[in-house]
PDB file of all heavy atoms in Angstrom:
ATOM      1  N   LEU A 281      50.851   0.947  54.914  1.00 96.00           N
ATOM      2  CA  LEU A 281      50.685  -0.464  55.247  1.00 96.00           C
ATOM      3  C   LEU A 281      51.387  -0.787  56.554  1.00 96.00           C
ATOM      4  O   LEU A 281      50.799  -1.404  57.454  1.00 96.00           O
ATOM      5  CB  LEU A 281      51.236  -1.342  54.124  1.00 96.00           C
ATOM      6  CG  LEU A 281      51.385  -2.824  54.461  1.00 96.00           C
ATOM      7  CD1 LEU A 281      50.015  -3.450  54.669  1.00 96.00           C
ATOM      8  CD2 LEU A 281      52.120  -3.560  53.345  1.00 96.00           C
ATOM      9  N   PHE A 282      52.615  -0.377  56.680  1.00 95.00           N
ATOM     10  CA  PHE A 282      53.351  -0.718  57.891  1.00 95.00           C
ATOM     11  C   PHE A 282      52.787  -0.003  59.104  1.00 95.00           C
ATOM     12  O   PHE A 282      52.732  -0.548  60.206  1.00 95.00           O
ATOM     13  CB  PHE A 282      54.853  -0.461  57.713  1.00 95.00           C
ATOM     14  CG  PHE A 282      55.532  -1.557  56.942  1.00 95.00           C
ATOM     15  CD1 PHE A 282      55.674  -1.479  55.567  1.00 95.00           C
ATOM     16  CD2 PHE A 282      55.981  -2.701  57.592  1.00 95.00           C
ATOM     17  CE1 PHE A 282      56.260  -2.518  54.847  1.00 95.00           C
ATOM     18  CE2 PHE A 282      56.579  -3.737  56.888  1.00 95.00           C
ATOM     19  CZ  PHE A 282      56.715  -3.640  55.506  1.00 95.00           C
ATOM     20  N   ASP A 283      52.340   1.230  58.902  1.00 94.00           N
ATOM     21  CA  ASP A 283      51.653   1.946  59.977  1.00 94.00           C
ATOM     22  C   ASP A 283      50.437   1.168  60.449  1.00 94.00           C
ATOM     23  O   ASP A 283      50.183   1.021  61.639  1.00 94.00           O
ATOM     24  CB  ASP A 283      51.162   3.294  59.441  1.00 94.00           C
ATOM     25  CG  ASP A 283      51.989   4.433  59.966  1.00 94.00           C
ATOM     26  OD1 ASP A 283      52.996   4.163  60.664  1.00 94.00           O
ATOM     27  OD2 ASP A 283      51.644   5.584  59.681  1.00 94.00           O
ATOM     28  N   GLU A 284      49.662   0.678  59.482  1.00 95.00           N
ATOM     29  CA  GLU A 284      48.456  -0.072  59.825  1.00 95.00           C
ATOM     30  C   GLU A 284      48.798  -1.356  60.548  1.00 95.00           C
ATOM     31  O   GLU A 284      48.078  -1.778  61.442  1.00 95.00           O
ATOM     32  CB  GLU A 284      47.643  -0.390  58.567  1.00 95.00           C
ATOM     33  CG  GLU A 284      46.801   0.778  58.131  1.00 95.00           C
ATOM     34  CD  GLU A 284      45.938   0.476  56.918  1.00 95.00           C
ATOM     35  OE1 GLU A 284      45.692  -0.712  56.633  1.00 95.00           O
ATOM     36  OE2 GLU A 284      45.530   1.448  56.271  1.00 95.00           O
ATOM     37  N   ILE A 285      49.860  -1.991  60.152  1.00 96.00           N
ATOM     38  CA  ILE A 285      50.264  -3.212  60.836  1.00 96.00           C
ATOM     39  C   ILE A 285      50.580  -2.905  62.297  1.00 96.00           C
ATOM     40  O   ILE A 285      50.128  -3.609  63.208  1.00 96.00           O
ATOM     41  CB  ILE A 285      51.462  -3.870  60.136  1.00 96.00           C
ATOM     42  CG1 ILE A 285      51.027  -4.429  58.784  1.00 96.00           C
ATOM     43  CG2 ILE A 285      52.080  -4.963  60.986  1.00 96.00           C
ATOM     44  CD1 ILE A 285      52.156  -4.969  57.943  1.00 96.00           C
ATOM     45  N   HIS A 286      51.322  -1.847  62.531  1.00 95.00           N
ATOM     46  CA  HIS A 286      51.626  -1.477  63.918  1.00 95.00           C
ATOM     47  C   HIS A 286      50.342  -1.171  64.674  1.00 95.00           C
ATOM     48  O   HIS A 286      50.160  -1.562  65.817  1.00 95.00           O
ATOM     49  CB  HIS A 286      52.546  -0.251  63.963  1.00 95.00           C
ATOM     50  CG  HIS A 286      53.868  -0.482  63.310  1.00 95.00           C
ATOM     51  ND1 HIS A 286      54.600   0.504  62.709  1.00 95.00           N
ATOM     52  CD2 HIS A 286      54.603  -1.608  63.170  1.00 95.00           C
ATOM     53  CE1 HIS A 286      55.718   0.001  62.221  1.00 95.00           C
ATOM     54  NE2 HIS A 286      55.747  -1.282  62.482  1.00 95.00           N
ATOM     55  N   TRP A 287      49.466  -0.466  64.008  1.00 95.00           N
ATOM     56  CA  TRP A 287      48.188  -0.077  64.608  1.00 95.00           C
ATOM     57  C   TRP A 287      47.402  -1.296  65.043  1.00 95.00           C
ATOM     58  O   TRP A 287      46.897  -1.361  66.172  1.00 95.00           O
ATOM     59  CB  TRP A 287      47.414   0.741  63.580  1.00 95.00           C
ATOM     60  CG  TRP A 287      46.011   1.105  63.939  1.00 95.00           C
ATOM     61  CD1 TRP A 287      44.865   0.525  63.482  1.00 95.00           C
ATOM     62  CD2 TRP A 287      45.595   2.137  64.835  1.00 95.00           C
ATOM     63  NE1 TRP A 287      43.761   1.133  64.028  1.00 95.00           N
ATOM     64  CE2 TRP A 287      44.181   2.125  64.849  1.00 95.00           C
ATOM     65  CE3 TRP A 287      46.275   3.084  65.608  1.00 95.00           C
ATOM     66  CZ2 TRP A 287      43.432   3.021  65.622  1.00 95.00           C
ATOM     67  CZ3 TRP A 287      45.532   3.973  66.369  1.00 95.00           C
ATOM     68  CH2 TRP A 287      44.124   3.936  66.369  1.00 95.00           C
ATOM     69  N   ILE A 288      47.258  -2.275  64.163  1.00 95.00           N
ATOM     70  CA  ILE A 288      46.414  -3.404  64.531  1.00 95.00           C
ATOM     71  C   ILE A 288      47.029  -4.233  65.644  1.00 95.00           C
ATOM     72  O   ILE A 288      46.311  -4.804  66.466  1.00 95.00           O
ATOM     73  CB  ILE A 288      45.983  -4.281  63.327  1.00 95.00           C
ATOM     74  CG1 ILE A 288      47.117  -5.062  62.718  1.00 95.00           C
ATOM     75  CG2 ILE A 288      45.323  -3.450  62.286  1.00 95.00           C
ATOM     76  CD1 ILE A 288      46.676  -5.833  61.471  1.00 95.00           C
ATOM     77  N   ILE A 289      48.337  -4.278  65.702  1.00 96.00           N
ATOM     78  CA  ILE A 289      48.957  -5.008  66.806  1.00 96.00           C
ATOM     79  C   ILE A 289      48.639  -4.309  68.126  1.00 96.00           C
ATOM     80  O   ILE A 289      48.204  -4.942  69.106  1.00 96.00           O
ATOM     81  CB  ILE A 289      50.475  -5.125  66.612  1.00 96.00           C
ATOM     82  CG1 ILE A 289      50.774  -5.987  65.386  1.00 96.00           C
ATOM     83  CG2 ILE A 289      51.140  -5.713  67.847  1.00 96.00           C
ATOM     84  CD1 ILE A 289      52.241  -6.064  65.036  1.00 96.00           C
ATOM     85  N   VAL A 290      48.814  -2.990  68.145  1.00 96.00           N
ATOM     86  CA  VAL A 290      48.546  -2.253  69.381  1.00 96.00           C
ATOM     87  C   VAL A 290      47.074  -2.371  69.768  1.00 96.00           C
ATOM     88  O   VAL A 290      46.741  -2.580  70.937  1.00 96.00           O
ATOM     89  CB  VAL A 290      48.956  -0.773  69.231  1.00 96.00           C
ATOM     90  CG1 VAL A 290      48.492   0.038  70.421  1.00 96.00           C
ATOM     91  CG2 VAL A 290      50.452  -0.655  69.083  1.00 96.00           C
ATOM     92  N   GLN A 291      46.185  -2.272  68.796  1.00 95.00           N
ATOM     93  CA  GLN A 291      44.757  -2.367  69.117  1.00 95.00           C
ATOM     94  C   GLN A 291      44.407  -3.732  69.683  1.00 95.00           C
ATOM     95  O   GLN A 291      43.586  -3.851  70.596  1.00 95.00           O
ATOM     96  CB  GLN A 291      43.902  -2.085  67.872  1.00 95.00           C
ATOM     97  CG  GLN A 291      43.980  -0.652  67.382  1.00 95.00           C
ATOM     98  CD  GLN A 291      43.662   0.351  68.476  1.00 95.00           C
ATOM     99  OE1 GLN A 291      42.660   0.252  69.169  1.00 95.00           O
ATOM    100  NE2 GLN A 291      44.549   1.314  68.649  1.00 95.00           N
ATOM    101  N   SER A 292      45.026  -4.776  69.142  1.00 96.00           N
ATOM    102  CA  SER A 292      44.717  -6.116  69.651  1.00 96.00           C
ATOM    103  C   SER A 292      45.175  -6.246  71.092  1.00 96.00           C
ATOM    104  O   SER A 292      44.505  -6.859  71.917  1.00 96.00           O
ATOM    105  CB  SER A 292      45.376  -7.183  68.772  1.00 96.00           C
ATOM    106  OG  SER A 292      46.781  -7.138  68.925  1.00 96.00           O
ATOM    107  N   LEU A 293      46.299  -5.627  71.424  1.00 96.00           N
ATOM    108  CA  LEU A 293      46.782  -5.696  72.799  1.00 96.00           C
ATOM    109  C   LEU A 293      45.894  -4.861  73.723  1.00 96.00           C
ATOM    110  O   LEU A 293      45.582  -5.264  74.848  1.00 96.00           O
ATOM    111  CB  LEU A 293      48.233  -5.214  72.879  1.00 96.00           C
ATOM    112  CG  LEU A 293      49.244  -6.133  72.187  1.00 96.00           C
ATOM    113  CD1 LEU A 293      50.616  -5.473  72.130  1.00 96.00           C
ATOM    114  CD2 LEU A 293      49.343  -7.473  72.917  1.00 96.00           C
ATOM    115  N   LYS A 294      45.473  -3.725  73.232  1.00 95.00           N
ATOM    116  CA  LYS A 294      44.581  -2.894  74.046  1.00 95.00           C
ATOM    117  C   LYS A 294      43.265  -3.599  74.294  1.00 95.00           C
ATOM    118  O   LYS A 294      42.649  -3.449  75.337  1.00 95.00           O
ATOM    119  CB  LYS A 294      44.321  -1.559  73.339  1.00 95.00           C
ATOM    120  CG  LYS A 294      45.459  -0.604  73.450  1.00 95.00           C
ATOM    121  CD  LYS A 294      45.073   0.767  72.928  1.00 95.00           C
ATOM    122  CE  LYS A 294      45.944   1.803  73.613  1.00 95.00           C
ATOM    123  NZ  LYS A 294      45.362   3.111  73.689  1.00 95.00           N
TER     124      LYS A 294
END
Side-chain angles (χ1 to χ4, degrees):
Chain A
L281 168 67
F282 281 92
D283 254 5
E284 279 182 20
I285 291 174
H286 298 151
W287 173 257
I288 69 184
I289 294 175
V290 171
Q291 292 306 310
S292 69
L293 292 171
K294 283 189 154 206

